[in-house]
Amino acid sequence: MHKHPNQPDENFKILLSWLGPTDEAAGAKYEHIRQSLVKLFVYNRCWDAEDLADETIDRVTKKVSEVMEGYSGDPALYFYGVAKMMLKERHRQDALRGDSQVIEFRVPATTPEGDTAKELERRLECLEHCVQELSAESRKLIMDYYQEEKRAKIDFRRKIAERIGVDLQALRVRVFRIRASLFKCMEKCLGQVAECNELSPKS
Amino acid sequence: MSGIGMNEHDDDQKRIRGYLLGQLSDDERQVIEERIFTDPAFLADVQMAEEELLEDYVFKILPPDEAERFANRLLVSPDQRRRLETTTALKQYSEAAKKTFFRSGWGLAIAATLILAVGIGVWIRRASSLDRTVAALNVGGESSETQSDFRVELPDLRFRSQPGENVVEEPVTVPRQTNVVQLRLPVDSAAYLSYEVTLIREPDSTLFTLSHRQPVNSGNRKMLIVRVPADALTPGEYRLALKGTTADGRVDDLGSYVSTFEQSAPQ
């Protein structure tokens, strides 16, 4: 479970006890709330969604003892309420700075300046590595899934679903999972590459 | 799933898509967001819909207004941009694997077996490194990551040009520290659905072809942007050939630019 490092252990334990009767249930609920927070901020055009999600959890955790006493209902909705307040704060700040319309220009560069071509080359190397890490069946499925253009893609996917004996919804879920594992592998691979580059002596 | 269940599912999908594209009222948004927080299965549905929108964006299936909404709303964070890059790379990788596979002339069954056994990676290792780099460099449109490019603004192309036309008179001198050269071609976006750009080192050495290119807004103009690794542009004469594809699939040869590239002298 991802626990924000600034949380004092005692409050965090109380928070978990509020979220579920067992450690396992509380952990699952916590992860779901954190993911929901990240997505809420992402869908509201915040480029620092992860930080805002952690800040929301921080705020709730600090007050958890008093909140729990008077609150009835799903704790997740309390987090949602706090997150909405934070969104309002963010939009107010953006409006004051006059830059709410240019949020996309505040996206930090994902690659260091001047290293773009090399970085992209590494991304493709990692993709190659991660595709090879998939099982043969998953690899074939994902490669087929991405091959066709436009409307042909939809018909082709229907054929894939028929071939493997599932409906389109089940195919979507299967591809979603394969893609999630690919993205995870890519993150890991790119992270390792970046780490190696930091450690290697500069020529 | 029952008929009613299926309808509910379809309605959910429409609402989720509307939510992700910012097309719902405040009340409808609130309902969706509360379900995201209280129902893990619904959150998974939303994430799946987000991935599919990303795919539709990469495959250029989205209508232009939805594509713009998607880019403005859902390509904001570094994480989302990385996912866009990975999805685009995956699509190119799959398409390239397919082309190689059919060009080889092997039977379907043999080739499929080989693909599984040997792995598609074999193809990618053999593929031109420049093709791969150019394909990856040209994912998406303009962003903060392209700000350090050396930009070359090309003049309006005289369409269906004759040899000798569209010659860029002054040689283009690329500064030594440049990593990426950005060629910017003004185009008439209303005439064509997409464009294909081929860079040829004269007289006849094709460096790469980029297909399905869409123009981006640049001031009050539409520009096709082609990013090329600077080290691929060794001093010499180059031709940039442009084709346009109409909505009904017709491909028009639109002519080409001819330009000389030089490197600045060492200091």
Side-chain angles (χ1 to χ4, degrees), chain B residues 114-164:
Chain B
L114 278 174
I115 279 178
L116 287 176
V118 183
I120 295 143
V122 171
W123 170 81
I124 213 111
R125 269 190 284 274
R126 286 181 186 158
S128 145
S129 170
L130 179 61
D131 272 346
R132 294 162 59 188
T133 306
V134 169
L137 274 176
N138 286 281
V139 170
E142 284 190 288
S143 73
S144 56
E145 291 170 50
T146 67
Q147 296 305 309
S148 61
D149 291 2
F150 176 69
R151 295 180 175 208
V152 180
E153 304 270 352
L154 295 168
D156 283 328
L157 185 69
R158 287 190 287 274
F159 284 172
R160 297 182 183 83
S161 49
Q162 298 300 312

Side-chain angles (χ1 to χ4, degrees), chain B residues 96-115 123 126:
Chain B
K98 186 188 175 196
K99 279 179 196 161
T100 307
F101 165 77
F102 284 113
R103 250 185 241 142
S104 70
W106 295 336
L108 199 69
I110 298 168
T113 311
L114 278 174
I115 279 178
W123 170 81
R126 286 181 186 158

